[in-house]
Amino acid sequence: MIRDDAEALRTAAALAEEFRPGASGRDARRELPRAELDRLTATGLLAVTVPAAHGGADVSAATLAEVFRLLASADASLAQIPQSHFAYVNVLRQQGSPEQQAFFFAEVLAGRRFGNAQSEAGTKHLQDIRTRLVRGEDGSYLLTGVKNYSTGALFADWIPVLARADDDLLHVAYVPADAPGLTVTDDWDGMGQRTTASGTVELADVAVPAAHVVPHHLTFTGPQLHGALAQLLHTAIDAGIAAGALAEAAEFVRTRSRPWFESGYDTAAEDPLLIQRFGELDLRRRAADALLATAARAVDAARADLDDDSAAEASIAVAAAKAYAGSAALEIADALFEVSGTRAALDSLNLHRHWRDARTHTLHDPARWKIQHLGRYALNGTRPPRHGLL
């Protein structure tokens, strides 16, 4: 059990150092991090957002964001796996009944992991959810559909499934990973985030008791932080990728790069042009970290006093941080090769994993729409929509 924010941060920092040495090899071999995820789970870190009334540490959003940033700086794939776990713990916090909270929070405290079965491929758009919950005469449900990009499902004890009921409203059904009719296929073949096992979940008349179904649609009827918290963790992953790429670039230049012959210096690390470029890149990293921290504080402030205005401020702050961190991760991961030289392009070194991870992860949702909402808010005071992605 982790008891407070300070312990959560110490634990995350220690795990990051533990996971870092094997990250490149896991990516190169597409070796799923089962042992590492079990190690992470065993520390109690996945239970840190359980409310204090239920025995959890109930850490701040600022702490949780830093936990994700630290883990992603070491292994971006491993950091992404529990992102949905925390998002669906938050769903229970917001809309779970007292009985549902008591049951599922106890599961989380006991080390059970939540996965993710949310997105669907081939539909009109992201919110065109076609998976259905059909209610039977006894009040229970049958769940049918196909989900894609299901990060965490392969490693999960419970798989939260986003579905529409007969009234077409959104619900989340928490389904045991071994439920009859549920199949998880490890068919993710993305160029980056290769070991997230973000594959396919198929549901064929899966029986779900009413006690395991949460009315997620109610989340969006008033001020909410569901989207802000989920996007904050994505932002932290991008910031972590930026930090990891910059650290590896610096280590490579210090230890392996040759100086350009015109510089007049004995080592690449003394080249004033390289020093200038590293300063520019570090400025980008620091700005991404600062925006992440500002966004996390805005989420915490809104939690303490939630209304339309505070929710909007939190969503806008997270949108700004996400848009910036994504571009910073891409620039730094690309510049790694610019500053390191030809040898850095060797496939055997696998330095390209940082760019592949950044390019893949930043495709989750378009930064251009975050910029749109920033502009509308700055110019006209228009609050962002309550669709769960801001």
Side-chain angles (χ1 to χ4, degrees), residues 312 316 372-385:
I316 288 297
Q372 273 285 310
H373 292 303
L374 284 169
R376 293 171 183 176
Y377 190 72
L379 181 59
N380 298 315
T382 305
R383 295 184 184 121

Side-chain angles (χ1 to χ4, degrees), residues 88 115-119 147-148 150-151 153 159-163 201 203:
Y88 284 103
N116 155 45
Q118 179 169 299
S119 296
K147 296 291 188 176
N148 306 92
S150 301
T151 304
I159 301 178
V161 181
L162 191 64
V201 172
L203 305 129

Side-chain angles (χ1 to χ4, degrees), residues 8 48 78 81 104 108 121 238 245 265 300 342 362 376:
V48 294
L78 182 55
I81 291 169
F104 282 112
V108 174
D238 289 340
Y265 289 93
D300 282 326
T342 306
T362 53
R376 293 171 183 176

Side-chain angles (χ1 to χ4, degrees), residues 95-110:
Q95 300 301 336
S97 68
E99 294 78 16
Q100 288 172 327
Q101 291 179 347
F103 175 77
F104 282 112
F105 290 153
E107 287 286 280
V108 174
L109 289 169

Side-chain angles (χ1 to χ4, degrees), residues 261-284:
F261 70 94
E262 291 180 287
S263 73
Y265 289 93
D266 294 330
T267 68
E270 296 173 284
D271 184 340
L273 297 181
L274 279 179
I275 290 171
Q276 176 72 20
R277 186 62 175 132
F278 269 94
E280 293 167 351
L281 296 174
D282 192 52
L283 183 61
R284 287 279 266 157

